[in-house]
Amino acid sequence: MIPERYQRNLGTLGEEGQKKLFNSHIAIVGAGGLGGTLFEILLRAGVGNITIIDYDAFEQSNLNRQLLSSVKNIGTKKAEAAKKRAAEINPDAKITALDTKLTPENAIKLLRNVEIVCDCVDAIPLRFTIQKAAHSLNIPMVHAAVAGTFGQLMTVFPNQPGVEEIYGDPDIV
């Protein structure tokens, strides 16, 4: 039986789709404006397992553009704030909040058990690191970027070109 909170999803996803969402595991790298918004949407949609990775803390300048920020949590680590927010929105979701920087050295370890990784970072070299780990793990990466009123979105499947098609040679960036 699908919980009442997801009943309006059934017209779009169906019962099997909703169950699949709840049993999925998605990683979000970056919990700022884009990552925080995605985190909240996935929680509300019913994704059952989310790993959120961010080493930064909220600042005053985040208040106007980052959904997870508030006056009360200035100075709070973004991953920690995401986990607290999840408990308010969807306590049934399993959240792994990692207050760490994803690097070439730890990327595979941090992303090992996920089915999809979402790139919501603000540094081009880190996008290449995420993509390389996703390719190694044979999982898709959803790349997204926002600047002002413009955005871009792309799904990169394993062993296909990806962010280099937008940003060029990773050795030059």
Side-chain angles (χ1 to χ4, degrees), residues 142-169:
V142 177
H143 158 71
V146 176
T149 59
F150 297 96
Q152 61 192 32
L153 178 67
M154 172 175 64
T155 301
V156 181
F157 293 98
N159 303 314
Q160 291 185 340
V163 293
E164 63 273 10
E165 298 290 313
I166 299 171
Y167 300 111
D169 185 346

Side-chain angles (χ1 to χ4, degrees), residues 43-71:
L43 279 170
R44 291 180 184 277
V47 172
N49 298 284
I50 302 173
T51 296
I52 188 146
I53 305 167
D54 199 311
Y55 67 97
D56 202 5
F58 286 113
E59 302 172 350
Q60 289 278 339
S61 64
N62 301 140
L63 291 171
N64 71 322
R65 59 194 170 76
Q66 294 189 17
L67 190 60
L68 293 176
S69 69
S70 70
V71 173

Side-chain angles (χ1 to χ4, degrees), residues 27-46:
I28 302 170
V29 184
L34 186 57
T37 301
L38 177 61
F39 181 75
E40 180 129 349
I41 290 168
L42 294 178
L43 279 170
R44 291 180 184 277

Side-chain angles (χ1 to χ4, degrees), residues 105-173:
E105 295 75 31
N106 69 12
I108 290 176
K109 179 182 175 189
L110 297 179
L111 301 174
R112 180 168 284 133
N113 297 313
V114 304
E115 297 164 69
I116 297 173
V117 59
C118 300
D119 154 25
C120 298
V121 300
D122 59 2
I124 295 170
L126 186 50
R127 297 180 192 287
F128 286 106
T129 298
I130 296 166
Q131 179 178 282
K132 185 175 181 182
H135 281 269
S136 293
L137 294 166
N138 201 36
I139 59 172
M141 176 185 96
V142 177
H143 158 71
V146 176
T149 59
F150 297 96
Q152 61 192 32
L153 178 67
M154 172 175 64
T155 301
V156 181
F157 293 98
N159 303 314
Q160 291 185 340
V163 293
E164 63 273 10
E165 298 290 313
I166 299 171
Y167 300 111
D169 185 346
D171 296 326
I172 297 174
V173 175

Side-chain angles (χ1 to χ4, degrees), residues 2-22:
I2 301 294
E4 184 178 344
R5 72 183 305 139
Y6 305 122
Q7 290 300 310
R8 292 188 181 226
N9 294 1
L10 297 181
T12 305
L13 301 173
E15 192 167 325
E16 290 308 308
Q18 190 66 51
K19 286 177 184 175
K20 188 172 183 177
L21 251 183
F22 187 75

